[in-house]
Amino acid sequence: MVVKDANAARVLADPDARRFLEPFLGRERSARDAAHDLGENLDRVLARVRRFLRVGLLCITRQEPRAGRAVKFYRTVADGFFIPYGATEFESFESWFVAEFARREESLALSVSKEALAWGASRGHHTVGKRVFRRADGSLGADFAFGPQDELDLLHPAAPAIAYTFAFTDLDHESAKDLQRELLTLAEKYGGRRGGQLYSVRLALAPVRPE
């Protein structure tokens, strides 16, 4: 379904709103089912459901009688949506793209830093800073550490499973495409798993262009 309504486009452009819509996408669910799926409070889900109904993204498929209020079941009005850039309120596609990921990036960075600080404190490290140095290959290194010599061994079995790094490397087009395929294969391998601790994983690749 191509979304033309500005209110519906505003909802679908919001990553948080999309998370609440996901349980109903292409399938029938009650609000209680969705709350269970999301691990969210039922009242929060119901508030989102009411908004989705107002903007025309959800419809009521049926009502199941019971003592008191009937249980309503919902489903998205289409099995998928396309939001044209022109239906959004963003000044440019670039600003939309940045806004889409900025909040997630901030949340990821905060989570990594909290886990790292807690791990460092448990190992007796209470002073944190940043080391700037030249690596063995001659490139510039800059990383956060607990002192000039005290690297945080995140690969230690008891360390939290966190990673946050940027790598700059010269690649020809063929090598860059190989890396692209490897990253997407990795995301597919681990994405969508259920039953454990929820993790945020960010994989990105882009050429560095002059401003």
Side-chain angles (χ1 to χ4, degrees), residues 4-209:
K4 298 179 180 178
D5 179 76
N7 292 321
R10 186 182 302 110
V11 170
L12 287 170
D14 179 357
D16 288 340
R18 288 201 303 270
R19 187 174 75 86
F20 281 87
L21 187 67
E22 189 274 334
F24 308 102
L25 188 61
R27 62 180 182 176
E28 183 184 78
R29 304 293 278 167
S30 70
R32 189 172 297 278
D33 291 335
H36 179 268
D37 294 343
L38 296 167
E40 283 284 353
N41 178 276
L42 178 59
D43 289 339
R44 289 195 69 198
V45 172
L46 284 170
R48 296 283 186 161
V49 164
R50 288 191 286 270
R51 186 182 183 194
F52 296 151
L53 288 169
R54 284 197 303 272
V55 300
L57 293 174
L58 274 190
C59 63
I60 299 172
T61 55
R62 63 186 175 93
Q63 299 190 48
E64 192 174 276
R66 68 168 183 178
R69 289 186 179 181
V71 178
K72 295 179 181 179
F73 289 81
Y74 309 89
R75 182 187 175 103
T76 51
V77 297
D79 289 344
F81 299 95
F82 176 75
I83 313 101
Y85 156 65
T88 72
E89 299 176 337
F90 292 96
E91 296 179 358
S92 66
F93 172 71
E94 290 85 355
S95 63
W96 183 12
F97 194 89
V98 170
E100 174 85 12
F101 292 99
R103 185 163 38 183
R104 296 181 185 180
E105 189 74 25
E106 180 181 7
S107 176
L108 175 61
L110 286 172
S111 181
V112 169
S113 62
K114 288 178 180 178
E115 292 286 338
L117 284 172
W119 169 244
S122 73
R123 308 285 287 184
H125 300 300
H126 300 286
T127 301
V128 66
K130 193 159 194 172
R131 299 184 306 164
V132 179
F133 60 97
R134 189 175 299 281
R135 298 191 180 95
D137 64 3
S139 63
L140 175 69
D143 58 24
F144 288 102
F146 290 88
Q149 308 297 330
D150 296 322
E151 293 187 46
L152 193 61
D153 182 13
L154 292 178
L155 295 181
H156 188 284
I162 56 174
Y164 195 93
T165 184
F166 283 86
F168 294 92
T169 182
D170 290 346
L171 301 172
D172 57 32
H173 182 71
E174 183 178 352
S175 297
K177 293 299 292 183
D178 287 341
L179 179 55
Q180 178 193 40
R181 282 188 287 270
E182 289 180 26
L183 291 174
L184 295 177
T185 299
L186 191 63
E188 184 177 356
K189 177 181 178 181
Y190 289 98
R193 295 190 178 188
R194 296 291 184 269
Q197 168 67 50
L198 183 64
Y199 278 82
S200 174
V201 181
R202 189 257 289 131
L203 301 173
L205 173 71
V208 178
R209 306 293 190 191

